[in-house]
Amino acid sequence: MRTDPIRAARPLAAASLALALLAAGCTGAGQTGEGAAADLDVSTGVTDDTVTIGAHMPLTGPAAPGYSQISVGAQAVYDFVNANGGVQGRSIEYLAEDDAYDPTRTVEVTRELVHDDEIFAMVGGLGTPTHSKVVDFLNTEGVPDLFPSSGALMWNDPEKYPLTYGYQVDYTKESKILGEHISEEFGDADVGYLMQNDDVGVDSQRGLDMYLQDQAVAVEHYESGAEDVSAQIANLEQEGAEVVVCACIPNYVALALLESARIGYEPQFVTSSIGGDTVTLRGLLSSFAEQAGSGGDPDDFLDGLLTLGYLPPVEMDDGDPWVEFFRGVYDEYGEDAPMSNTTVYGMVQAVLFVQALEAAGEDPTRASLIEALESQEGSGPGLVPFASTEDDRGGFSGGFITRYEAGEGLEMVRDPAVTDNAEGDVEDVEVDRPLPEDIGPLSQG
């Protein structure tokens, strides 16, 4: 019998207490790596039958559209694994708590996951402005902080955050790959940036500027929670931006596309990985257009959209073994919403955790989980290498670029490539991916 993967959001009455506790904990930030180390030789959250893990997620609020599917995808994989014997005989209990993309709420639910639920690890806490408020606390408390759902550079800082291991390609690396492609394919075009006004925008602009600084004519920012981007789009049009690069969550990509169409502005749109899931965007475009009393086929708004990715896209019907595996799992254990690349994002996180937990042994401790994670090699289901070593916690190290063609789906226009977040070149890469049946807990279905 399935259990409900998402528990109702808890009230905010304890928020001030949570903030006080975290403030106290943060006075010792860095102690895990530099001073008194947390005891990792413990099995907190592990019983004879279960392993309990947690995550903070925007199940409501401005980032919920699309991103709420991450926990659905992860839960589907955990349900599949649990139904087929679990990991070392234990079922995975996955507690995805709603923080509504609100940092204050993130503090509260994270404290409860650690102190009340006594999770073994945090897996996939979502958001740069949110997870950055709890990363010190998790490290100080000795809780493995695996695969934050964010491309911020701060997750790859072993000295400051020794228990944090990144997941998605970081914003600077992906922006370098996008910037190189734009400079090669649209070298004569004026370029505008539309950026989320936090580390997403800062890190993304840094990568883009390495290739596009001479072509950039405008930089516009939006605040998460804003209801429209009409002023930003008007300014990009006024400055003559022929290519618009959007480092935006899906809501704001959809709003930008609709507003541009409304005023007759037709730039080439390019999105980073965080906002380019076309399944999610089609739903948002339909919903927003209906609210505005306008119409139009969502595919028409998306036609020609360029997006960076690093996981196998569900829209590309190329027989990818991981997409086929995930479809089978989702058909049996997923929900009614269409499977999307955002769903796959959560499924891959779950696969990587299951793989590490299996390697952590019959009696896993937090220390053995970390040791197992750092000994893994390769890419997992991704199309670029994955790093989770002692010295490099960068997660996926690059990506590929796709173009969406209305009525036809995705076409890969830039093969997988890797780079660094400094001045290194962008280089083509091929990876030898494991198959689902190569990972023990996945081979039992």
Side-chain angles (χ1 to χ4, degrees):
M1 184 173 112
R2 289 192 60 196
T3 57
D4 185 356
I6 312 302
R7 297 187 299 173
R10 290 167 168 143
L12 296 178
S16 58
L17 174 60
L19 284 167
L21 285 170
L22 282 175
C26 287
T27 61
Q31 285 187 349
T32 308
E34 299 170 4
D39 183 9
L40 300 181
D41 193 23
V42 296
S43 298
T44 305
V46 178
T47 71
D48 290 343
D49 303 313
T50 62
V51 176
T52 300
I53 61 175
H56 60 85
M57 291 281 177
L59 305 178
T60 59
Y67 286 171
S68 60
Q69 280 295 111
I70 293 174
S71 56
V72 173
Q75 184 69 54
V77 170
Y78 295 137
D79 284 344
F80 169 85
V81 169
N82 292 345
N84 290 283
V87 180
Q88 303 282 8
R90 294 182 180 88
S91 294
I92 297 172
E93 184 179 2
Y94 174 54
L95 307 180
E97 294 285 5
D98 183 17
D99 67 2
Y101 208 58
D102 176 349
T104 299
R105 199 159 173 175
T106 307
V107 168
E108 178 195 359
V109 301
T110 298
R111 173 191 169 273
E112 291 180 344
L113 285 167
V114 172
H115 287 163
D116 299 344
D117 298 310
E118 297 186 324
I119 57 173
F120 184 52
M122 176 74 80
V123 183
L126 189 143
T128 302
T130 48
H131 199 70
S132 62
K133 296 299 185 291
V134 297
V135 63
D136 282 305
F137 172 69
L138 291 168
N139 277 265
T140 300
E141 291 288 317
V143 180
D145 178 25
L146 310 188
F147 317 143
S149 297
S150 156
L153 301 178
M154 64 189 300
W155 319 137
N156 189 9
D157 190 344
E159 183 175 346
K160 188 173 184 180
Y161 304 122
L163 300 182
T164 298
Y165 294 77
Y167 173 68
Q168 72 185 57
V169 58
D170 75 50
Y171 301 128
T172 301
K173 289 176 183 175
E174 71 172 345
S175 294
K176 285 177 64 179
I177 295 170
L178 288 171
E180 183 201 55
H181 184 76
I182 293 167
S183 70
E184 292 177 351
E185 299 297 321
F186 306 95
D188 296 327
D190 289 335
V191 179
Y193 303 160
L194 179 60
M195 303 283 173
Q196 185 160 298
N197 195 22
D198 56 20
D199 282 0
V200 175
V202 172
D203 295 346
S204 297
Q205 182 172 345
R206 180 169 169 264
L208 292 170
D209 280 348
M210 293 182 192
Y211 291 89
L212 300 175
Q213 191 162 23
D214 291 341
Q215 292 179 243
V217 296
V219 180
E220 295 291 328
H221 296 91
Y222 71 86
E223 300 293 339
S224 178
E227 296 183 357
D228 70 69
V229 291
S230 56
Q232 292 90 331
I233 295 299
N235 289 339
L236 289 166
E237 182 187 33
Q238 182 176 341
E239 295 299 325
E242 300 161 281
V243 175
V244 172
V245 187
C246 194
C248 317
I249 64 176
N251 263 20
Y252 296 98
V253 176
L255 289 171
L257 292 172
L258 286 170
E259 177 63 16
S260 297
R262 188 187 70 81
I263 66 175
Y265 176 39
E266 299 181 348
Q268 169 66 60
F269 272 96
V270 182
T271 74
S272 62
S273 62
I274 64 173
D277 182 355
T278 54
V279 176
T280 297
L281 289 174
R282 278 198 295 273
L284 287 169
L285 288 164
S286 294
S287 176
F288 291 165
E290 182 178 350
Q291 292 172 24
S294 59
D297 185 338
D299 267 16
D300 293 338
F301 297 112
L302 293 171
D303 192 35
L305 180 71
L306 295 173
T307 302
L308 185 130
Y310 47 93
L311 304 177
V314 297
E315 304 99 318
M316 292 183 65
D317 187 16
D318 60 356
D320 185 274
W322 279 101
V323 172
E324 292 181 354
F325 171 76
F326 289 140
R327 285 195 187 282
V329 170
Y330 193 73
D331 286 347
E332 186 169 0
Y333 298 100
E335 297 188 353
D336 293 336
M339 181 174 157
S340 67
N341 291 315
T342 308
T343 316
V344 169
Y345 181 105
M347 298 178 101
V348 173
Q349 278 180 329
V351 166
L352 293 173
F353 175 72
V354 165
Q355 193 173 10
L357 184 60
E358 172 80 2
E362 293 183 2
D363 297 304
T365 63
R366 286 172 169 169
S368 71
L369 178 68
I370 292 298
E371 182 180 357
L373 185 68
E374 292 185 352
S375 66
Q376 291 182 175
E377 297 180 358
S379 63
L383 299 183
V384 295
F386 186 85
S388 60
T389 66
E390 181 179 357
D391 299 319
D392 184 0
R393 284 88 180 280
F396 289 105
S397 55
F400 53 87
I401 299 174
T402 58
R403 174 185 288 274
Y404 186 81
E405 300 291 345
E408 297 183 13
L410 289 183
E411 173 190 6
M412 190 177 294
V413 296
R414 205 282 179 228
D415 289 336
V418 295
T419 189
D420 60 14
N421 50 41
E423 301 295 330
D425 292 336
V426 174
E427 300 177 341
D428 291 349
V429 68
E430 293 184 7
V431 295
D432 183 16
R433 297 189 295 162
L435 297 174
E437 55 265 32
D438 295 332
I439 298 174
L442 306 183
S443 65
Q444 306 302 315

